[in-house]
Amino acid sequence: MMKKNWIIGLALCSFFFVGCNTTVETEEESIVIDTLSIDRHLSVLASDDFMGRKPFTEGEEKTIHYLESELKRMGLKPGNVDSYFQEVPMVEITGEQSEVMTVTGNGQPMTFNTNEDVVVYTERAEEEIGIKESELVFAGYGIVAPEYGWNDYEGLDIKGKTVIVLVNDPGFGSGDSTLFKGDQMTYYGRWTYKYEEAARQGAAGVLIVHETVPAGYPWLVVQSSWTGAKLNLDDANPPYKCAIQGWITRKMAVQLFSAAGIKDYSAMARSKDFKPVALGLKGTVAVTNAIKRDMSHNVVAMLEGSKRPDEYIIYSAHWDHLGVGEPVDGDSIYNGAHDNASGTVGLLTIAETFAKMKQKPERSVVFLFVTAEEQGLLGSAYYAQNPLFPPNQSVANINIDGLPAYGEMKDLTITGYGQSEMDKYAKAEADKQGRYVIPDPDPGKGYFFRSDHFSFAKIGIPALFASGSFESKEKGEEFIEEKTKEYLAIRYHQQADNYIPEEWDLKGIAQDAQLLFRLGNRLANETYFPKWNEGSEFKAKRDADMSLRKQ
Ligand SMILES: [Zn+2]
């Protein structure tokens, strides 16, 4: 892969001349990632033999040991002291709700049916859990956003109480694009955020008022998503979680608010001067849980930096998929070839490229293959709660989830465009490949919050999630549009997400891997720490962390 004249060039350059390397091809430029090893890894990871790579199955065993042996063969160091694995303890919680939630105070006791009016569950692995006569407080959107000067919890001690909060953020549907980000969803609009903030405030319970438009889905989805078995992290020192999390219908919310004398609750919550309101009501509801524990694994390797080994570039890709299910046309295996064997393979080839470089990067480079993305970003969330490398020494995350199987692409689509200076790095590398950069075409859906880079963003590490997804170099936009439609209709999270060597054109995967390799290598040879942009919801966390760094 390396050109001989380049080696001579470097020798001359470093011994006899100053600043001549502008005229000599660098080692990085001479490296071309080819499709041979991509095909080899894909044929293994997406094979029926790997059984859809589901956590806790033989598919996991095969996958993580394949990754380990490949990383060893490349000569990369284990990323977790002397191990290539980070254990990720998980717990499956199957909750049974009490039949009703009762609310007392201000006159008649009120009774609400679970499932019909309210859905509750818990992420705490306890057999019996609930709220008992817990004071109900309306906390607006349940948001504390320093960059918008917004605090829905201001001035009230919420410990032991149960907060009722609205879905999405104040900007959504306000017609005001300067209020938060208007109709573009911020992280403050996600239900995960509402739960996390209520927990940070020490609430006993948190109930989100469901409304179909700002939630993006009907009540039926709340019912089906939040009842039955759910996988969670089983952290030894879990962050505090509310005892009860859940949703109530708009109808139930209106009943509660009117019992407290509140009329236009949404106008109230949109006001910047909003203060939390005690409703003068007390709620009681419980969950009985069946609990099962098991252990999954992140796989992690690293290349130590030559000059600043305690600064890290962290690449990530999830190795897991959905396993084996009911057969469709005789096929019961969810091979997850695109999602995410392609990204896992992309990361393996990037790791191998780094390992082969003669000139080692100045900063350390980490290759992290995370588990249980499909179960709710659990492997990366565990890493974020138990980081192997200090977050404020971690320069950036580059996440890979699904690389294009349709040949070389003209675009580089950045999901979460505008969040951080990582955009500039991506654009510089895209330019070198003659590609243009575009933002994710549908930012209202909040895709930036739906793959593993988001776990890194949450602990402040600037994260990039980008791939070619819009225009084929040879066959244009419509070709990709058709392929994407077909993928979403019959392959995405279905048995037909297979690797078909005759149909896949691996040059797109190689092209993206090359771009992301160069991007990481550039960061690994700089001293700069890329920043979140003004207005990003992740900036405050990063700024606080970076101010604690030893210089
Ligand atoms: Zn995925």
Side-chain angles (χ1 to χ4, degrees):
M1 292 215 181
M2 196 184 311
K3 295 178 182 170
K4 276 196 190 124
N5 59 355
W6 175 82
I7 300 175
I8 297 161
L10 179 76
L12 289 173
C13 182
S14 38
F15 290 114
F16 302 109
F17 303 102
V18 176
C20 79
N21 59 350
T22 50
T23 58
V24 181
E25 190 180 40
T26 64
E27 183 183 14
E28 179 195 286
E29 281 162 357
S30 72
I31 288 172
V32 177
I33 292 183
D34 65 43
T35 55
L36 271 176
S37 58
I38 293 176
D39 170 67
R40 181 169 66 85
H41 294 308
L42 262 179
S43 308
V44 175
L45 289 165
S47 68
D48 283 356
D49 199 37
F50 276 55
M51 295 177 295
R53 305 184 305 280
K54 193 176 185 188
F56 309 145
T57 65
E58 209 185 320
E60 162 160 5
E61 286 300 305
K62 288 190 171 175
T63 305
I64 65 174
H65 289 112
Y66 179 76
L67 293 174
E68 180 192 36
S69 73
E70 287 296 311
L71 295 163
K72 259 188 200 162
R73 181 186 58 77
M74 294 171 195
L76 293 166
K77 282 179 58 176
N80 188 9
V81 197
D82 54 1
S83 171
Y84 290 91
F85 300 127
Q86 179 183 36
E87 291 195 329
V88 180
M90 286 200 233
V91 57
E92 184 188 82
I93 303 176
T94 311
E96 180 90 43
Q97 310 171 74
S98 56
E99 271 175 33
V100 296
M101 172 170 174
T102 54
V103 176
T104 55
N106 283 2
Q108 296 293 317
M110 294 180 269
T111 310
F112 300 96
N113 293 323
T114 53
N115 273 345
E116 203 178 301
D117 306 312
V118 50
V119 166
V120 293
Y121 60 100
T122 188
E123 288 180 48
R124 287 202 210 160
E126 294 173 32
E127 280 172 16
E128 302 282 340
I129 193 158
I131 48 170
K132 204 172 176 199
E133 295 183 3
S134 167
E135 259 183 66
L136 304 184
V137 174
F138 177 41
Y141 285 91
I143 292 173
V144 180
E147 67 276 25
Y148 299 112
W150 196 279
N151 184 354
D152 284 329
Y153 285 98
E154 196 164 8
L156 193 64
D157 182 9
I158 232 82
K159 288 199 177 55
K161 297 172 185 167
T162 293
V163 292
I164 295 174
V165 296
L166 304 184
V167 72
N168 218 307
D169 66 41
F172 187 88
S174 67
D176 178 357
S177 63
T178 65
L179 186 58
F180 284 65
K181 290 183 185 169
D183 283 344
Q184 179 182 335
M185 189 192 266
T186 64
Y187 181 51
Y188 302 112
R190 290 278 288 171
W191 53 267
T192 47
Y193 169 80
K194 315 266 177 193
Y195 292 167
E196 287 159 2
E197 191 57 55
R200 273 192 287 273
Q201 302 291 332
V206 50
L207 298 170
I208 302 173
V209 179
H210 175 262
E211 289 190 53
T212 301
V213 174
Y217 41 80
W219 180 250
L220 212 66
V221 172
V222 172
Q223 287 176 317
S224 63
S225 306
W226 299 115
T227 51
K230 304 296 302 169
L231 266 183
N232 292 279
L233 290 178
D234 188 23
D235 212 322
N237 297 300
Y240 174 81
K241 296 225 164 103
C242 298
I244 288 290
Q245 302 174 161
W247 295 73
I248 60 176
T249 59
R250 184 172 185 278
K251 188 169 153 235
M252 173 167 165
V254 168
Q255 265 180 276
L256 295 176
F257 290 141
S258 47
I262 294 173
K263 287 195 185 81
D264 194 351
Y265 63 88
S266 64
M268 231 174 117
R270 255 195 200 125
S271 153
K272 212 168 178 173
D273 313 316
F274 175 84
K275 293 262 172 347
V277 188
L279 298 181
L281 304 169
K282 289 179 174 178
T284 302
V285 69
V287 195
T288 312
N289 297 310
I291 292 161
K292 219 168 86 188
R293 292 191 149 84
D294 220 327
M295 192 71 81
S296 188
H297 302 82
N298 291 334
V299 182
V300 57
M302 71 177 297
L303 182 64
E304 202 156 82
S306 58
K307 277 198 186 150
R308 290 179 296 288
D310 57 350
E311 295 177 5
Y312 307 89
I313 314 299
I314 303 178
Y315 283 93
S316 60
H318 73 88
W319 61 253
D320 69 300
H321 196 57
L322 301 168
V324 180
E326 289 298 312
V328 170
D329 297 331
D331 184 2
S332 61
I333 299 172
Y334 291 72
N335 301 70
H338 178 74
D339 187 9
N340 185 28
S342 68
T344 306
V345 168
L347 184 43
L348 278 173
T349 57
I350 290 170
E352 180 141 40
T353 308
F354 270 108
K356 277 186 183 162
M357 293 252 291
K358 293 274 179 300
Q359 193 181 348
K360 295 299 171 207
E362 296 180 2
R363 286 166 157 164
S364 294
V365 184
V366 175
F367 309 98
L368 177 64
F369 301 82
V370 294
T371 181
E373 189 270 354
E374 307 287 10
Q375 317 285 334
L377 319 182
L378 296 183
S380 59
Y382 185 81
Y383 177 91
Q385 284 168 30
N386 305 273
L388 298 170
F389 310 99
N392 63 5
Q393 297 285 111
S394 300
V395 177
N397 166 245
I398 300 167
N399 184 50
I400 313 175
D401 192 352
L403 294 180
Y406 319 117
E408 289 199 313
M409 305 291 281
K410 267 191 169 170
D411 69 295
L412 180 74
T413 298
I414 301 181
T415 301
Y417 184 82
Q419 283 279 5
S420 79
E421 291 176 338
M422 292 297 283
D423 293 350
K424 289 186 206 159
Y425 286 82
K427 179 161 187 318
E429 297 308 328
D431 284 348
K432 286 185 204 158
Q433 288 187 335
R435 298 164 74 180
Y436 58 85
V437 161
I438 47 169
D440 149 35
D442 204 356
K445 292 238 167 70
Y447 284 116
F448 189 67
F449 315 124
R450 295 196 194 175
S451 184
D452 297 300
H453 51 276
F454 177 51
S455 297
F456 292 91
K458 270 165 88 177
I459 55 168
I461 301 172
L464 179 77
F465 183 39
S467 68
S469 4
F470 186 70
E471 183 180 3
S472 150
K473 199 165 159 187
E474 279 165 18
K475 298 178 185 164
E477 287 173 30
E478 273 168 35
F479 169 74
I480 296 298
E481 197 184 332
E482 242 167 67
K483 286 287 180 189
T484 307
K485 259 192 203 152
E486 183 210 76
Y487 173 75
L488 290 173
I490 65 167
R491 302 191 197 282
Y492 174 68
H493 285 197
Q494 297 183 46
Q495 292 87 332
D497 185 2
N498 293 319
Y499 175 46
I500 309 162
E502 313 77 65
E503 287 182 15
W504 283 43
D505 180 346
L506 303 178
K507 290 196 289 295
I509 297 178
Q511 186 195 28
D512 271 2
Q514 175 126 9
L515 185 151
L516 297 174
F517 155 70
R518 285 180 171 175
L519 199 162
N521 192 43
R522 175 169 164 196
L523 282 167
N525 287 294
E526 287 187 351
T527 55
Y528 187 68
F529 280 74
K531 294 185 174 69
W532 294 102
N533 293 335
E534 282 309 323
S536 166
E537 53 268 55
F538 310 106
K539 188 175 173 21
K541 168 76 181 144
R542 182 63 161 181
D543 290 351
D545 265 23
M546 293 303 277
S547 71
L548 300 174
R549 269 184 91 223
K550 288 176 277 175
Q551 287 300 330

